[in-house]
PDB file of all heavy atoms in Angstrom:
ATOM      1  N   GLU A  15     -11.074  17.822   1.979  1.00 92.00           N
ATOM      2  CA  GLU A  15     -11.219  19.137   1.348  1.00 92.00           C
ATOM      3  C   GLU A  15     -12.562  19.258   0.641  1.00 92.00           C
ATOM      4  O   GLU A  15     -13.228  20.297   0.716  1.00 92.00           O
ATOM      5  CB  GLU A  15     -10.087  19.381   0.333  1.00 92.00           C
ATOM      6  CG  GLU A  15      -8.717  19.668   0.955  1.00 92.00           C
ATOM      7  CD  GLU A  15      -8.753  20.770   2.015  1.00 92.00           C
ATOM      8  OE1 GLU A  15      -9.468  21.787   1.825  1.00 92.00           O
ATOM      9  OE2 GLU A  15      -8.060  20.627   3.049  1.00 92.00           O
ATOM     10  N   LYS A  18     -15.483  19.345   3.294  1.00 90.00           N
ATOM     11  CA  LYS A  18     -15.478  20.606   4.021  1.00 90.00           C
ATOM     12  C   LYS A  18     -16.493  21.596   3.455  1.00 90.00           C
ATOM     13  O   LYS A  18     -17.152  22.321   4.188  1.00 90.00           O
ATOM     14  CB  LYS A  18     -14.092  21.250   3.879  1.00 90.00           C
ATOM     15  CG  LYS A  18     -13.135  21.040   5.003  1.00 90.00           C
ATOM     16  CD  LYS A  18     -11.858  21.796   4.608  1.00 90.00           C
ATOM     17  CE  LYS A  18     -10.892  21.941   5.749  1.00 90.00           C
ATOM     18  NZ  LYS A  18      -9.705  22.679   5.324  1.00 90.00           N
ATOM     19  N   THR A  23     -24.053  22.586   9.383  1.00 94.00           N
ATOM     20  CA  THR A  23     -24.588  22.477  10.745  1.00 94.00           C
ATOM     21  C   THR A  23     -23.692  21.579  11.594  1.00 94.00           C
ATOM     22  O   THR A  23     -22.889  20.814  11.073  1.00 94.00           O
ATOM     23  CB  THR A  23     -26.003  21.860  10.739  1.00 94.00           C
ATOM     24  OG1 THR A  23     -25.877  20.519  10.255  1.00 94.00           O
ATOM     25  CG2 THR A  23     -26.948  22.621   9.843  1.00 94.00           C
ATOM     26  N   LEU A  27     -21.458  18.253  10.711  1.00 95.00           N
ATOM     27  CA  LEU A  27     -20.060  18.184  11.120  1.00 95.00           C
ATOM     28  C   LEU A  27     -19.785  16.890  11.890  1.00 95.00           C
ATOM     29  O   LEU A  27     -18.773  16.210  11.685  1.00 95.00           O
ATOM     30  CB  LEU A  27     -19.734  19.404  11.993  1.00 95.00           C
ATOM     31  CG  LEU A  27     -18.288  19.561  12.412  1.00 95.00           C
ATOM     32  CD1 LEU A  27     -17.376  19.804  11.206  1.00 95.00           C
ATOM     33  CD2 LEU A  27     -18.128  20.718  13.403  1.00 95.00           C
ATOM     34  N   VAL A  51       2.043  -3.400   7.940  1.00 91.00           N
ATOM     35  CA  VAL A  51       3.129  -2.641   7.311  1.00 91.00           C
ATOM     36  C   VAL A  51       4.481  -3.171   7.832  1.00 91.00           C
ATOM     37  O   VAL A  51       4.608  -3.431   9.028  1.00 91.00           O
ATOM     38  CB  VAL A  51       2.966  -1.137   7.634  1.00 91.00           C
ATOM     39  CG1 VAL A  51       4.160  -0.329   7.150  1.00 91.00           C
ATOM     40  CG2 VAL A  51       1.677  -0.613   7.030  1.00 91.00           C
ATOM     41  N   ASN A  53       8.053  -3.334   9.397  1.00 92.00           N
ATOM     42  CA  ASN A  53       8.524  -2.543  10.512  1.00 92.00           C
ATOM     43  C   ASN A  53       9.199  -1.230  10.132  1.00 92.00           C
ATOM     44  O   ASN A  53       8.908  -0.190  10.714  1.00 92.00           O
ATOM     45  CB  ASN A  53       9.496  -3.360  11.365  1.00 92.00           C
ATOM     46  CG  ASN A  53       8.715  -4.154  12.393  1.00 92.00           C
ATOM     47  OD1 ASN A  53       7.502  -3.933  12.540  1.00 92.00           O
ATOM     48  ND2 ASN A  53       9.360  -5.080  13.065  1.00 92.00           N
ATOM     49  N   GLU A  80     -16.923  28.045  14.525  1.00 94.00           N
ATOM     50  CA  GLU A  80     -17.561  28.935  13.560  1.00 94.00           C
ATOM     51  C   GLU A  80     -19.087  28.771  13.575  1.00 94.00           C
ATOM     52  O   GLU A  80     -19.832  29.735  13.631  1.00 94.00           O
ATOM     53  CB  GLU A  80     -17.006  28.601  12.163  1.00 94.00           C
ATOM     54  CG  GLU A  80     -17.510  29.501  11.065  1.00 94.00           C
ATOM     55  CD  GLU A  80     -17.167  28.922   9.687  1.00 94.00           C
ATOM     56  OE1 GLU A  80     -15.998  28.526   9.483  1.00 94.00           O
ATOM     57  OE2 GLU A  80     -18.083  28.852   8.847  1.00 94.00           O
ATOM     58  N   ASN A  83     -20.664  30.067  16.904  1.00 95.00           N
ATOM     59  CA  ASN A  83     -20.713  31.525  16.912  1.00 95.00           C
ATOM     60  C   ASN A  83     -21.834  32.055  16.044  1.00 95.00           C
ATOM     61  O   ASN A  83     -22.521  33.015  16.404  1.00 95.00           O
ATOM     62  CB  ASN A  83     -19.385  32.104  16.403  1.00 95.00           C
ATOM     63  CG  ASN A  83     -18.366  32.166  17.514  1.00 95.00           C
ATOM     64  OD1 ASN A  83     -18.724  32.118  18.686  1.00 95.00           O
ATOM     65  ND2 ASN A  83     -17.100  32.240  17.141  1.00 95.00           N
ATOM     66  N   ASP A  96     -35.369  46.299  21.901  1.00 81.00           N
ATOM     67  CA  ASP A  96     -35.355  47.645  21.369  1.00 81.00           C
ATOM     68  C   ASP A  96     -35.474  48.633  22.529  1.00 81.00           C
ATOM     69  O   ASP A  96     -36.548  48.898  23.043  1.00 81.00           O
ATOM     70  CB  ASP A  96     -36.538  47.825  20.407  1.00 81.00           C
ATOM     71  CG  ASP A  96     -36.533  49.212  19.806  1.00 81.00           C
ATOM     72  OD1 ASP A  96     -35.602  49.984  20.110  1.00 81.00           O
ATOM     73  OD2 ASP A  96     -37.458  49.515  19.033  1.00 81.00           O
ATOM     74  N   GLY A 133     -52.317  52.367  69.232  1.00 94.00           N
ATOM     75  CA  GLY A 133     -53.085  51.321  69.907  1.00 94.00           C
ATOM     76  C   GLY A 133     -53.756  50.416  68.881  1.00 94.00           C
ATOM     77  O   GLY A 133     -53.895  50.801  67.729  1.00 94.00           O
ATOM     78  N   PHE A 143     -64.311  50.801  77.319  1.00 94.00           N
ATOM     79  CA  PHE A 143     -65.394  51.402  78.122  1.00 94.00           C
ATOM     80  C   PHE A 143     -65.160  51.357  79.635  1.00 94.00           C
ATOM     81  O   PHE A 143     -65.127  52.389  80.289  1.00 94.00           O
ATOM     82  CB  PHE A 143     -66.722  50.708  77.804  1.00 94.00           C
ATOM     83  CG  PHE A 143     -67.195  50.927  76.386  1.00 94.00           C
ATOM     84  CD1 PHE A 143     -67.580  49.850  75.584  1.00 94.00           C
ATOM     85  CD2 PHE A 143     -67.285  52.199  75.856  1.00 94.00           C
ATOM     86  CE1 PHE A 143     -68.020  50.054  74.278  1.00 94.00           C
ATOM     87  CE2 PHE A 143     -67.727  52.419  74.550  1.00 94.00           C
ATOM     88  CZ  PHE A 143     -68.100  51.330  73.765  1.00 94.00           C
ATOM     89  N   THR A 178     -59.348  54.827  74.218  1.00 95.00           N
ATOM     90  CA  THR A 178     -58.796  53.567  74.726  1.00 95.00           C
ATOM     91  C   THR A 178     -57.273  53.669  74.890  1.00 95.00           C
ATOM     92  O   THR A 178     -56.691  53.000  75.741  1.00 95.00           O
ATOM     93  CB  THR A 178     -59.074  52.426  73.734  1.00 95.00           C
ATOM     94  OG1 THR A 178     -58.611  52.834  72.459  1.00 95.00           O
ATOM     95  CG2 THR A 178     -60.533  52.117  73.632  1.00 95.00           C
ATOM     96  N   PRO A 192     -45.446  61.203  84.823  1.00 97.00           N
ATOM     97  CA  PRO A 192     -46.026  62.061  83.777  1.00 97.00           C
ATOM     98  C   PRO A 192     -46.101  61.384  82.400  1.00 97.00           C
ATOM     99  O   PRO A 192     -45.291  60.526  82.086  1.00 97.00           O
ATOM    100  CB  PRO A 192     -45.058  63.243  83.712  1.00 97.00           C
ATOM    101  CG  PRO A 192     -44.356  63.243  85.014  1.00 97.00           C
ATOM    102  CD  PRO A 192     -44.292  61.823  85.482  1.00 97.00           C
ATOM    103  N   TYR A 202     -64.418  52.897  64.950  1.00 95.00           N
ATOM    104  CA  TYR A 202     -65.593  52.335  64.259  1.00 95.00           C
ATOM    105  C   TYR A 202     -66.868  52.578  65.055  1.00 95.00           C
ATOM    106  O   TYR A 202     -66.885  52.406  66.271  1.00 95.00           O
ATOM    107  CB  TYR A 202     -65.406  50.824  64.084  1.00 95.00           C
ATOM    108  CG  TYR A 202     -64.156  50.484  63.310  1.00 95.00           C
ATOM    109  CD1 TYR A 202     -62.916  50.412  63.947  1.00 95.00           C
ATOM    110  CD2 TYR A 202     -64.207  50.252  61.939  1.00 95.00           C
ATOM    111  CE1 TYR A 202     -61.763  50.116  63.235  1.00 95.00           C
ATOM    112  CE2 TYR A 202     -63.056  49.950  61.218  1.00 95.00           C
ATOM    113  CZ  TYR A 202     -61.839  49.885  61.885  1.00 95.00           C
ATOM    114  OH  TYR A 202     -60.694  49.598  61.181  1.00 95.00           O
ATOM    115  N   ARG A 203     -67.911  52.974  64.370  1.00 92.00           N
ATOM    116  CA  ARG A 203     -69.224  53.089  65.014  1.00 92.00           C
ATOM    117  C   ARG A 203     -70.313  52.698  64.026  1.00 92.00           C
ATOM    118  O   ARG A 203     -70.102  52.760  62.811  1.00 92.00           O
ATOM    119  CB  ARG A 203     -69.484  54.532  65.486  1.00 92.00           C
ATOM    120  CG  ARG A 203     -68.593  54.904  66.636  1.00 92.00           C
ATOM    121  CD  ARG A 203     -68.934  56.251  67.218  1.00 92.00           C
ATOM    122  NE  ARG A 203     -67.782  56.701  68.015  1.00 92.00           N
ATOM    123  CZ  ARG A 203     -67.687  57.859  68.622  1.00 92.00           C
ATOM    124  NH1 ARG A 203     -68.696  58.721  68.545  1.00 92.00           N
ATOM    125  NH2 ARG A 203     -66.621  58.178  69.308  1.00 92.00           N
ATOM    126  N   PHE A 214     -63.984  55.874  60.840  1.00 91.00           N
ATOM    127  CA  PHE A 214     -63.410  57.207  60.675  1.00 91.00           C
ATOM    128  C   PHE A 214     -62.144  57.306  61.508  1.00 91.00           C
ATOM    129  O   PHE A 214     -61.706  56.313  62.083  1.00 91.00           O
ATOM    130  CB  PHE A 214     -64.428  58.304  61.031  1.00 91.00           C
ATOM    131  CG  PHE A 214     -65.016  58.216  62.419  1.00 91.00           C
ATOM    132  CD1 PHE A 214     -64.604  59.097  63.414  1.00 91.00           C
ATOM    133  CD2 PHE A 214     -65.973  57.265  62.737  1.00 91.00           C
ATOM    134  CE1 PHE A 214     -65.158  59.035  64.699  1.00 91.00           C
ATOM    135  CE2 PHE A 214     -66.520  57.186  64.020  1.00 91.00           C
ATOM    136  CZ  PHE A 214     -66.108  58.081  64.994  1.00 91.00           C
ATOM    137  N   GLU A 218     -56.316  61.305  69.621  1.00 96.00           N
ATOM    138  CA  GLU A 218     -56.543  61.466  71.046  1.00 96.00           C
ATOM    139  C   GLU A 218     -55.291  62.070  71.659  1.00 96.00           C
ATOM    140  O   GLU A 218     -54.177  61.705  71.284  1.00 96.00           O
ATOM    141  CB  GLU A 218     -56.766  60.070  71.657  1.00 96.00           C
ATOM    142  CG  GLU A 218     -57.129  60.066  73.091  1.00 96.00           C
ATOM    143  CD  GLU A 218     -58.629  60.215  73.271  1.00 96.00           C
ATOM    144  OE1 GLU A 218     -59.361  60.172  72.267  1.00 96.00           O
ATOM    145  OE2 GLU A 218     -59.050  60.370  74.427  1.00 96.00           O
ATOM    146  N   THR A 234     -53.563  74.632  75.160  1.00 96.00           N
ATOM    147  CA  THR A 234     -53.124  73.637  74.177  1.00 96.00           C
ATOM    148  C   THR A 234     -54.091  73.570  73.000  1.00 96.00           C
ATOM    149  O   THR A 234     -53.685  73.572  71.834  1.00 96.00           O
ATOM    150  CB  THR A 234     -53.035  72.244  74.839  1.00 96.00           C
ATOM    151  OG1 THR A 234     -52.183  72.345  75.973  1.00 96.00           O
ATOM    152  CG2 THR A 234     -52.497  71.198  73.883  1.00 96.00           C
ATOM    153  N   PHE A 251     -65.183  77.257  74.460  1.00 96.00           N
ATOM    154  CA  PHE A 251     -65.406  76.044  75.259  1.00 96.00           C
ATOM    155  C   PHE A 251     -66.833  76.022  75.773  1.00 96.00           C
ATOM    156  O   PHE A 251     -67.311  77.003  76.312  1.00 96.00           O
ATOM    157  CB  PHE A 251     -64.440  76.017  76.457  1.00 96.00           C
ATOM    158  CG  PHE A 251     -63.055  75.571  76.099  1.00 96.00           C
ATOM    159  CD1 PHE A 251     -62.374  76.155  75.051  1.00 96.00           C
ATOM    160  CD2 PHE A 251     -62.428  74.564  76.813  1.00 96.00           C
ATOM    161  CE1 PHE A 251     -61.092  75.738  74.718  1.00 96.00           C
ATOM    162  CE2 PHE A 251     -61.158  74.139  76.482  1.00 96.00           C
ATOM    163  CZ  PHE A 251     -60.480  74.731  75.439  1.00 96.00           C
ATOM    164  N   GLY A 292     -61.512  67.365  78.271  1.00 98.00           N
ATOM    165  CA  GLY A 292     -61.813  67.545  79.693  1.00 98.00           C
ATOM    166  C   GLY A 292     -60.643  67.131  80.558  1.00 98.00           C
ATOM    167  O   GLY A 292     -59.596  66.713  80.070  1.00 98.00           O
ATOM    168  N   VAL A 298     -60.731  57.259  86.455  1.00 97.00           N
ATOM    169  CA  VAL A 298     -59.973  56.721  85.323  1.00 97.00           C
ATOM    170  C   VAL A 298     -58.496  56.626  85.690  1.00 97.00           C
ATOM    171  O   VAL A 298     -57.837  55.618  85.427  1.00 97.00           O
ATOM    172  CB  VAL A 298     -60.190  57.600  84.062  1.00 97.00           C
ATOM    173  CG1 VAL A 298     -59.275  57.176  82.931  1.00 97.00           C
ATOM    174  CG2 VAL A 298     -61.653  57.531  83.620  1.00 97.00           C
ATOM    175  N   TYR A 309     -51.595  63.328  90.875  1.00 97.00           N
ATOM    176  CA  TYR A 309     -51.587  63.641  89.436  1.00 97.00           C
ATOM    177  C   TYR A 309     -52.944  64.092  88.920  1.00 97.00           C
ATOM    178  O   TYR A 309     -53.984  63.601  89.351  1.00 97.00           O
ATOM    179  CB  TYR A 309     -51.170  62.402  88.645  1.00 97.00           C
ATOM    180  CG  TYR A 309     -49.686  62.100  88.762  1.00 97.00           C
ATOM    181  CD1 TYR A 309     -49.237  61.047  89.549  1.00 97.00           C
ATOM    182  CD2 TYR A 309     -48.760  62.879  88.081  1.00 97.00           C
ATOM    183  CE1 TYR A 309     -47.886  60.774  89.665  1.00 97.00           C
ATOM    184  CE2 TYR A 309     -47.408  62.616  88.180  1.00 97.00           C
ATOM    185  CZ  TYR A 309     -46.970  61.570  88.973  1.00 97.00           C
ATOM    186  OH  TYR A 309     -45.633  61.314  89.077  1.00 97.00           O
ATOM    187  N   ALA A 322     -60.384  67.347  58.042  1.00 86.00           N
ATOM    188  CA  ALA A 322     -60.119  67.251  56.601  1.00 86.00           C
ATOM    189  C   ALA A 322     -61.306  67.824  55.826  1.00 86.00           C
ATOM    190  O   ALA A 322     -61.136  68.544  54.840  1.00 86.00           O
ATOM    191  CB  ALA A 322     -59.863  65.802  56.201  1.00 86.00           C
ATOM    192  N   GLY A 327     -63.046  71.493  52.356  1.00 80.00           N
ATOM    193  CA  GLY A 327     -64.398  71.691  51.855  1.00 80.00           C
ATOM    194  C   GLY A 327     -65.018  70.418  51.299  1.00 80.00           C
ATOM    195  O   GLY A 327     -65.732  70.440  50.297  1.00 80.00           O
ATOM    196  N   ILE A 328     -64.756  69.293  51.944  1.00 84.00           N
ATOM    197  CA  ILE A 328     -65.329  68.018  51.500  1.00 84.00           C
ATOM    198  C   ILE A 328     -66.721  67.879  52.129  1.00 84.00           C
ATOM    199  O   ILE A 328     -66.869  67.993  53.341  1.00 84.00           O
ATOM    200  CB  ILE A 328     -64.429  66.836  51.946  1.00 84.00           C
ATOM    201  CG1 ILE A 328     -63.035  66.975  51.340  1.00 84.00           C
ATOM    202  CG2 ILE A 328     -65.060  65.496  51.571  1.00 84.00           C
ATOM    203  CD1 ILE A 328     -61.979  66.082  51.969  1.00 84.00           C
ATOM    204  N   GLU A 351     -49.678  73.958  52.216  1.00 48.00           N
ATOM    205  CA  GLU A 351     -50.245  74.158  53.551  1.00 48.00           C
ATOM    206  C   GLU A 351     -49.252  73.743  54.640  1.00 48.00           C
ATOM    207  O   GLU A 351     -48.491  72.855  54.488  1.00 48.00           O
ATOM    208  CB  GLU A 351     -51.500  73.337  53.770  1.00 48.00           C
ATOM    209  CG  GLU A 351     -52.269  73.043  52.589  1.00 48.00           C
ATOM    210  CD  GLU A 351     -52.725  71.611  52.630  1.00 48.00           C
ATOM    211  OE1 GLU A 351     -52.050  70.785  53.261  1.00 48.00           O
ATOM    212  OE2 GLU A 351     -53.774  71.339  52.071  1.00 48.00           O
TER     213      GLU A 351
END
Side-chain angles (χ1 to χ4, degrees):
E15 287 309 320
K18 262 181 168 181
T23 65
L27 185 65
V51 173
N53 273 351
E80 184 193 312
N83 277 341
D96 181 2
F143 295 130
T178 53
Y202 302 84
R203 291 187 198 177
F214 56 105
E218 185 87 8
T234 305
F251 281 51
V298 172
Y309 286 106
I328 300 166
E351 332 137 333

